[in-house]
Amino acid sequence: VTLADATRIDNMSTFPGFRDISEVPTHGISVGLETIAGAREAAMILTGAGKHLAFQRITGTRCFDQDWPASIVHDCAGGLILADPAAAGR
């Protein structure tokens, strides 16, 4: 898929190795929730204090919550949630 300019600009702060918008990819791969849910294995990896809310939301439920799409990991046969201490709030 073609990435929106706003997404590319956001990626500059997410990935500080990009020095200029011209270095940010213009295209990405999009995978739907149904594809993820049907995976044999999936891992949700959360790093940094900025992911603490996501950690709380994902670990606070045992099943998919449509208001928090990342919770789809619970529907995967081999779903795994990994978090560093900062994301886990420790």
Side-chain angles (χ1 to χ4, degrees), residues 44-48 51 54-56 58-59 81-85 87-88:
M44 177 62 60
I45 303 171
L46 305 150
T47 61
K51 296 299 180 187
F55 176 82
Q56 288 179 311
I58 294 167
T59 59
I81 301 167
L82 303 169
D84 68 5

Side-chain angles (χ1 to χ4, degrees), residues 59-79:
T59 59
T61 184
R62 297 276 179 222
C63 59
F64 175 65
D65 176 353
Q66 66 181 7
D67 292 332
W68 202 259
S71 65
I72 195 71
V73 70
H74 293 298
D75 284 3
C76 299

Side-chain angles (χ1 to χ4, degrees), residues 1-9 11 18 24-30:
V1 297
T2 301
L3 299 177
D5 289 340
T7 300
R8 293 178 67 223
I9 291 167
N11 280 336
F18 294 130
V24 181
T26 58
H27 290 78
I29 298 172
S30 178

Side-chain angles (χ1 to χ4, degrees), residues 30-43:
S30 178
V31 177
L33 293 176
E34 186 175 334
T35 300
I36 296 168
R40 287 187 302 260
E41 296 180 2

